[in-house]
């Protein structure tokens, strides 16, 4: 029977297949003479039905898969636009471009006459209210890498409203103003690097002398912060400390120089989890008493979401920075827009790997939103994403401040 089925499938032509189908549809019977032939014909008909199953029509306007044609020459803008119809993560990239451009369009929408007549600003960070508050979160490795310059560009031109990062995401930016980070290799062995005072971040190398320079720069600032706390009643929070460090570094290559200049708050609830924490620890024995109030910061962060007209999240990486932004948006029943870029998977139940739809279940992204996750290394994707969104709309944003 199997041999007969194989021979039948191999030898059938389109007309014969059509005849079998026609016979099945109109109920005609033409029984074969032998039982073996009858079984083969029945099997063949079922196989043809399975292989040549009729397709339902796809919805009108469904995009067709098509990639970039290099016969047109090299046009990077058109190449990136073609990602949307290329499939897989390229299509998610195209969707993320649309999601961020929608954030930007909402952000720069003119205020209504009623809002113009009511100049009261309830924002504790005193940010000017816009049509969409954009939260940008990133892990420390983004600042260690060249993504730092992309983030700095966004902050310099006042394109985002709130930053959330880790301790490393703060200190690595400041340290780069004091000494460079170098390219290395993922395969360099720790037991050979450690005796030479070289720290490895993936395929990046940071000489330990960089942290010694950081300590020399930071300690006098911590002394001054303690003095202002004790004599002027200054209440320090992690975000206020980061703004102070951005002002003290006084270097336009720094993300946090521009953040304090443009009054963009930077929240880092785990500010002691890194070299900054090491220095604060050492300093506490030399000049004890510095207090950082995380309660005031959580009020300030949550109010950025609560008071937002619309809210958008752009999150590079996972962990603390991802959840801290998402949880703030829970306070307003979810963000309106969201783009995640990370390589984490959801099978282990981690927040880092959770897809946006999980955040919808918690009320951290709105049910009518169209969030996007790009499963990719942000060092590859984020500069391209900025090139297709913010960088093309720079004229829409307020010009950078010239004075502190």
């Amino acid at each position: 029977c199997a041999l007969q089925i194989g021979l039948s499938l191999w030898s059938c032509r389109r007309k014969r297949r059509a005849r079998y189908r026609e016979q099945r549809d109109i109920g005609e019977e033409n029984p074969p003479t032998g039982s073996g032939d009858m079984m083969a014909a029945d099997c063949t008909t079922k196989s043809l039905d399975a292989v040549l199953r009729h397709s339902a029509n796809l919805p009108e306007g469904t995009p067709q898969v098509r990639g970039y044609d290099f016969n047109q020459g090299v046009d990077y803008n058109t190449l990136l636009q073609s990602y949307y119809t290329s499939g897989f993560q390229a299509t998610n990239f195209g969707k993320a471009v649309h999601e961020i451009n929608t954030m930007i369009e909402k952000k720069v929408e003119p205020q209504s006459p009623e809002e113009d007549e009511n100049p009261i600003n309830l924002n504790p960070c005193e940010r000017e209210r816009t049509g969409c508050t954009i939260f940008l979160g990133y892990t420390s490795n983004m600042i260690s890498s060249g993504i730092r310059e992309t983030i700095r560009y966004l902050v310099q031109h006042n394109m985002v409203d709130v930053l959330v990062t880790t301790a490393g995401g703060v200190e690595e930016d400041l340290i780069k103003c004091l000494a460079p980070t170098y390219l290395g290799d993922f395969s360099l062995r720790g037991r050979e690097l450690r005796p030479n005072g070289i720290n490895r971040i993936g395929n990046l190398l940071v000489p330990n002398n960089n942290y010694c320079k950081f300590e020399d720069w930071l300690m006098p600032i911590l002394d001054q912060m303690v003095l202002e706390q004790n004599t002027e009643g200054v209440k320090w929070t992690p975000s206020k400390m980061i703004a102070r460090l951005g002002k003290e570094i006084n270097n336009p290559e720094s993300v946090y120089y521009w953040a304090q200049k443009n009054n963009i708050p930077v929240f880092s609830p785990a500010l002691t989890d890194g070299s900054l924490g090491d220095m604060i620890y050492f300093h506490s024995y030399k000049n004890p008493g510095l207090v950082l109030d995380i309660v005031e910061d959580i009020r300030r962060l949550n109010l950025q979401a609560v008071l937002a007209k619309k809210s958008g999240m752009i999150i590079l990486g996972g962990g603390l920075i991802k959840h801290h932004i998402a949880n703030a948006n829970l306070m307003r029943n979810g963000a309106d827009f969201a783009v995640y870029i990370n390589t984490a998977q959801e099978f282990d139940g981690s927040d880092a790997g959770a897809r946006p739809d999980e955040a919808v279940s918690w009320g951290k992204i709105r049910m009518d939103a169209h969030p996007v996750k790009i499963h990719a290394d942000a060092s590859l994707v984020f500069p391209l994403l900025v090139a297709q969104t913010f960088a093309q709309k720079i004229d829409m944003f307020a010009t950078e401040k010239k004075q502190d």
Side-chain angles (χ1 to χ4, degrees):
C1 179
L3 178 60
Q4 290 172 326
I5 293 172
L7 290 171
S8 297
L9 286 172
W10 178 78
S11 61
C12 274
R13 294 291 185 266
R14 189 171 297 275
K15 289 182 179 180
R16 189 172 179 184
R17 292 172 183 170
R19 181 165 60 84
Y20 278 129
R21 213 173 251 183
E22 181 181 358
Q23 289 174 347
R24 180 202 61 197
D25 292 341
I26 65 176
E28 291 182 355
E29 293 186 2
N30 185 19
T33 57
S35 61
D37 289 343
M38 183 182 296
M39 185 179 295
D42 183 56
C43 290
T44 303
T45 300
K46 291 179 180 178
S47 297
L48 287 170
D49 184 50
V51 172
L52 301 176
R53 180 170 293 274
H54 177 69
S55 298
N57 292 328
L58 293 173
E60 188 78 22
T62 300
Q64 298 181 13
V65 175
R66 188 171 182 83
Y68 182 73
D69 183 359
F70 281 97
N71 287 315
Q72 301 174 4
V74 179
D75 182 334
Y76 290 106
N77 185 54
T78 305
L79 169 63
L80 292 175
Q81 289 175 349
S82 76
Y83 276 24
Y84 180 80
T85 57
S86 292
F88 309 134
Q89 294 310 304
T91 291
N92 283 0
F93 175 90
K95 290 180 177 179
V97 168
H98 180 268
E99 184 81 344
I100 291 177
N101 279 334
T102 305
M103 291 186 209
I104 295 170
E105 289 165 9
K106 292 294 181 183
K107 182 176 180 60
V108 299
E109 278 183 355
Q111 299 280 19
S112 67
E114 294 80 10
E115 290 169 323
D116 287 337
E117 292 173 2
N118 183 14
I120 298 174
N121 188 349
L122 300 176
N123 191 327
C125 298
E126 299 181 353
R127 283 283 295 174
E128 181 181 348
R129 193 168 188 244
T130 63
C132 181
T133 298
I134 299 179
F135 294 77
L136 174 62
Y138 48 91
T139 46
S140 65
N141 55 331
M142 296 293 96
I143 294 295
S144 301
S145 74
I147 299 301
R148 176 210 188 201
E149 279 63 40
T150 303
I151 294 170
R152 196 238 11 247
Y153 170 83
L154 298 176
V155 176
Q156 177 181 355
H157 296 286
N158 214 18
M159 293 173 167
V160 295
D161 300 283
V162 181
L163 302 180
V164 177
T165 190
T166 59
V170 175
E171 65 204 23
E172 292 296 321
D173 173 76
L174 302 169
I175 290 170
K176 280 185 171 182
C177 295
L178 305 172
T181 296
Y182 299 92
L183 283 174
D185 193 277
F186 284 101
S187 64
L188 293 175
R189 306 192 66 170
R191 65 184 183 185
E192 296 172 359
L193 295 173
R194 179 59 181 166
N196 291 289
I198 304 296
N199 305 292
R200 183 170 66 83
I201 305 171
N203 61 349
L204 311 180
L205 299 176
V206 186
N208 213 56
N209 286 344
N210 292 17
Y211 296 96
C212 299
K213 294 177 181 179
F214 182 54
E215 180 184 19
D216 293 340
W217 175 80
L218 182 62
M219 287 301 180
I221 299 172
L222 295 179
D223 285 336
Q224 184 62 30
M225 288 173 61
V226 172
L227 178 64
E228 292 174 15
Q229 173 186 284
N230 294 338
T231 61
E232 302 174 23
V234 175
K235 295 182 179 179
W236 293 105
T237 70
S239 65
K240 291 179 182 177
M241 179 178 181
I242 294 166
R244 178 60 172 269
L245 296 179
K247 186 171 184 176
E248 294 286 347
I249 199 67
N250 195 29
N251 187 327
E253 293 186 359
S254 165
V255 172
Y256 306 110
Y257 166 83
W258 288 106
Q260 61 83 29
K261 198 169 188 181
N262 287 331
N263 198 24
I264 297 173
V266 185
F267 296 100
S268 185
L271 190 62
T272 54
D273 183 30
S275 180
L276 270 169
D278 299 343
M279 303 311 164
I280 292 171
Y281 167 71
F282 295 140
H283 183 266
S284 71
Y285 287 95
K286 295 168 58 179
N287 187 3
L290 179 64
V291 176
L292 297 177
D293 184 359
I294 63 171
V295 176
E296 183 179 340
D297 259 9
I298 194 60
R299 285 171 56 97
R300 298 176 82 207
L301 173 63
N302 287 353
L303 281 172
Q304 304 310 301
V306 170
L307 298 173
K309 194 173 179 180
K310 295 281 187 181
S311 175
M313 308 189 299
I314 303 172
I315 302 177
L316 315 180
L320 179 146
I321 59 101
K322 180 171 179 270
H323 185 264
H324 208 49
I325 291 175
N327 200 71
N329 277 274
L330 170 62
M331 303 300 152
R332 65 184 305 277
N333 199 31
D336 299 280
F337 313 102
V339 171
Y340 296 172
I341 306 175
N342 65 59
T343 56
Q345 301 296 319
E346 65 175 343
F347 61 80
D348 59 359
S350 65
D351 181 77
R355 292 181 297 111
D357 188 64
E358 185 173 310
V360 174
S361 77
W362 288 88
K364 297 168 184 176
I365 296 176
R366 300 210 170 201
M367 290 187 290
D368 59 352
H370 302 283
V372 183
K373 175 174 177 177
I374 308 175
H375 293 77
D377 175 2
S379 70
L380 282 169
V381 171
F382 192 55
L384 302 178
L385 199 54
V386 170
Q388 291 300 101
T389 54
F390 292 99
Q392 294 192 11
K393 302 177 185 297
I394 187 169
D395 293 339
M396 294 183 177
F397 292 93
T399 57
E400 64 202 43
K401 290 184 180 179
K402 300 301 181 183
Q403 297 179 352
D404 291 334

